[in-house]
Amino acid sequence: MTQSVGVIGLGAMGMGMARSLLANGFSVAAFDLAPQAMARAKEAGIAAQETPAGVIEASDAIVLSLPLASHVEATIEVGLAAGAFKSPKIIIDTSTSEAAVSRRLAAKLSEIGHGFLDAPVSGGPQGAASGSLSVMLGGDAQWVAQANPVLDALASKVIHVGPSGAGNIAKLVNNMLVACHMLTTAEGLRLAEASGLPAEDALSVINSATGRSALSEIHFPNWVLTGSFDSGFSAGLMRKDVRLALELARDSDCSMPVSELVAKLWSEESSGIADDQDFMLLGRVAAGTEEKTNG
Ligand code: NAD
């Protein structure tokens, strides 16, 4: 069984995952570019390494939680160049990344005896911290079997979607729907308010009827109607997901007129919400939801 696990990227998601792994008895080594993240890791009892290659060399399984596919690729290349892949490794890439990059890395690493799984997640920082994420896996069954003990510590639901890249595709489809539901739910609640029905009352009906979604059941009650707008997921990262979903649609000759419109409405220009602000601000509805805690 894998005992030593590395985590590279200790942001809203990676830090929670590192803590969950620690709580499940793994020895955890980690790296993040940000000194504050490294300081928090040390406080939590995580072995902070000075380089990503150090994490790879010290670990049997390495969990990546990085903003972009380019960061994922660069991290693996740095590890290869530094000779960090000495013993067999399994890379579990939980970043919301790109299928083409995952396929390329999986093929390259498998040639030299290492596994690479695209393993994007759903469940947010709360799911990461409580080990209750949903994971959408792409890759070969032999590597999935090897990754299972680590995935069990991170997730309450693991779906092996298919070959390399399948997890990334599933995640982008999911998050394009999240982007749509955010705007359609906000619009529905705005209609309720404009017609004299309070958003809270409309939401409780929607959540016992067919218009509901995770957005109406979880996100709007917790982070919009409370006015807190602090879900821990940035608008910039969500815009990346929308952009990647539309690129996938273009590459696949798939017409997505609704999603194209949603992408325009999600833009910084149209929404007035900056990349570093919480993505829930896109769901701001009419009355009673002024922002209370963040910019
Ligand atoms: P974040 O911005 O909070 O954290 C990213 C971390 O990566 C930062 O600490 C940053 O310093 C570090 N980093 C950036 N480049 C690096 C590099 N080259 N090497 C090492 N560290 C580096 O992001 P997040 O919200 O934790 O998201 C991480 C990934 O998970 C993203 O791909 C995101 O799309 C995905 N995701 C996020 C959520 C969420 O709710 N926050 C949910 C599901 C998936």
Side-chain angles (χ1 to χ4, degrees), residues 64 72 76 90-91 93 102 105-106 109 114-118 138-139 143:
L64 305 182
V72 171
I76 300 299
I90 173 77
I91 308 287
D93 180 21
S102 296
L105 290 174
L109 288 176
H114 309 285
F116 182 99
L117 296 171
D118 44 299
W143 301 120

Side-chain angles (χ1 to χ4, degrees), residues 4-295:
S4 56
V5 183
V7 179
I8 301 179
L10 294 167
M13 298 299 286
M15 185 67 83
M17 288 192 248
R19 287 180 193 273
S20 290
L21 289 163
L22 210 57
N24 276 268
F26 291 100
S27 71
V28 182
F31 173 77
D32 192 290
L33 284 178
Q36 317 87 285
M38 293 295 273
R40 278 201 305 278
K42 280 183 200 159
E43 272 169 32
I46 294 161
Q49 290 277 339
E50 282 176 11
T51 63
V55 173
I56 295 171
E57 186 164 353
S59 313
D60 303 319
I62 300 97
V63 175
L64 305 182
S65 179
L66 295 166
L68 302 175
S70 57
H71 299 133
V72 171
E73 194 150 33
T75 298
I76 300 299
E77 292 301 339
V78 160
L80 287 168
F85 284 82
K86 291 192 176 86
S87 54
K89 313 281 180 196
I90 173 77
I91 308 287
I92 303 168
D93 180 21
T94 68
S95 320
T96 303
S97 181
E98 301 172 37
V101 172
S102 296
R103 290 181 191 128
R104 192 157 64 230
L105 290 174
K108 186 168 187 171
L109 288 176
S110 121
E111 269 178 23
I112 52 171
H114 309 285
F116 182 99
L117 296 171
D118 44 299
V121 294
S122 183
Q126 303 72 23
S130 58
S132 60
L133 292 165
S134 293
V135 184
M136 310 155 211
L137 279 181
D140 288 351
Q142 73 170 108
W143 301 120
V144 174
Q146 203 168 314
N148 268 336
V150 174
L151 294 170
D152 284 347
L154 298 178
S156 52
K157 196 177 281 180
V158 178
I159 301 171
H160 186 191
V161 190
S164 186
N168 295 136
I169 294 169
K171 172 67 180 173
L172 293 181
V173 170
N174 180 75
N175 276 27
M176 192 67 238
L177 287 173
V178 170
C180 295
H181 291 164
M182 178 82 90
L183 299 188
T184 53
T185 306
E187 209 164 273
L189 295 183
R190 205 176 309 129
L191 172 61
E193 292 269 355
S195 320
L197 180 64
E200 288 84 357
D201 296 347
L203 204 54
S204 63
V205 174
I206 292 164
N207 284 336
S208 58
T210 45
R212 71 186 184 275
S213 68
L215 272 288
S216 68
E217 289 183 325
I218 300 166
H219 295 69
F220 275 76
N222 284 313
W223 298 300
V224 176
L225 295 190
T226 58
S228 71
F229 301 103
D230 59 353
S231 75
F233 187 39
S234 70
L237 284 176
M238 190 62 185
R239 285 190 183 114
K240 168 199 69 172
D241 299 353
V242 168
R243 172 178 59 76
L244 291 179
L246 288 177
E247 283 174 14
L248 189 65
R250 280 173 214 131
D251 291 348
S252 315
D253 282 330
C254 176
S255 165
M256 306 263 288
V258 174
S259 300
E260 294 279 0
L261 174 60
V262 165
K264 283 196 189 105
L265 297 171
W266 266 84
S267 69
E268 191 165 341
E269 197 182 21
S270 169
S271 67
I273 308 300
D275 275 354
D276 62 355
Q277 291 184 287
D278 197 278
F279 91 127
M280 287 312 304
L281 282 162
L282 269 290
R284 192 169 1 210
V285 289
T289 60
E290 296 88 32
E291 198 179 335
K292 286 174 189 154
T293 58
N294 71 7

